Amino acid sequence: QVQLVESGGGLVQAGGSLRLSCAASGRTSNIYTVGWFRQVPGKEREFVAAVRWSGYTTYSVDSVKGRFSTSRDNVKNAVYLQMNSLKPEDTAVYYCAATTGYRGAIQFIPLAQYNYWGQGTQVTVSS
């Protein structure tokens, strides 16, 4: 089993920055990829970025590329989502999730392959 706990959300003005953390515990050696997702009420969960647990490969979607980046801290068993130049449309609940068995391309991991999820953290960007 893997447990994920997000933190770092909050209220920020447009143009500001936040760093979300995703702390992993349990059988972390089984983790292969950690993804970041966001969801607003009434909409589907949206994939934002991902990082291999090795830390060597990252990916972010076009809508956040150049503003968001993800990384892994090998010592702390944590993954981070650094969010800069935030916009009101970035407002959402952000989740981290982990895959353990899927080995496919990082940008095309099916949602169902993310078998462990954190509880989510709210990010609100005011205009």
Side-chain angles (χ1 to χ4, degrees):
Q1 291 285 341
V2 173
Q3 294 80 41
L4 303 173
V5 178
E6 299 104 334
S7 60
L11 174 64
V12 64
Q13 288 188 334
S17 298
L18 282 174
R19 188 178 80 157
L20 305 184
S21 299
C22 175
S25 60
R27 292 187 178 273
T28 59
S29 60
N30 292 343
I31 297 174
Y32 194 71
T33 304
V34 174
W36 288 96
F37 296 80
R38 62 188 181 186
Q39 190 169 25
V40 298
K43 292 191 176 182
E44 291 187 356
R45 196 161 292 188
E46 176 190 15
F47 172 64
V48 175
V51 58
R52 295 296 194 200
W53 193 240
S54 66
Y56 292 129
T57 303
T58 64
Y59 176 81
S60 55
V61 298
D62 287 346
S63 61
V64 304
K65 200 163 290 186
R67 300 189 298 123
F68 292 12
S69 62
T70 185
S71 61
R72 191 215 156 179
D73 185 323
N74 293 341
V75 174
K76 296 183 178 179
N77 271 347
V79 169
Y80 304 105
L81 183 67
Q82 178 67 43
M83 305 186 295
N84 300 324
S85 302
L86 282 161
K87 304 175 181 179
E89 51 264 42
D90 294 319
T91 295
V93 177
Y94 283 72
Y95 300 88
C96 63
T99 71
T100 55
Y102 191 79
R103 295 292 188 266
I106 193 171
Q107 66 267 42
F108 298 130
I109 300 174
L111 190 65
Q113 294 294 332
Y114 286 96
N115 40 354
Y116 297 100
W117 289 82
Q119 82 287 357
T121 185
Q122 176 71 46
V123 171
T124 303
V125 184
S126 63
S127 57

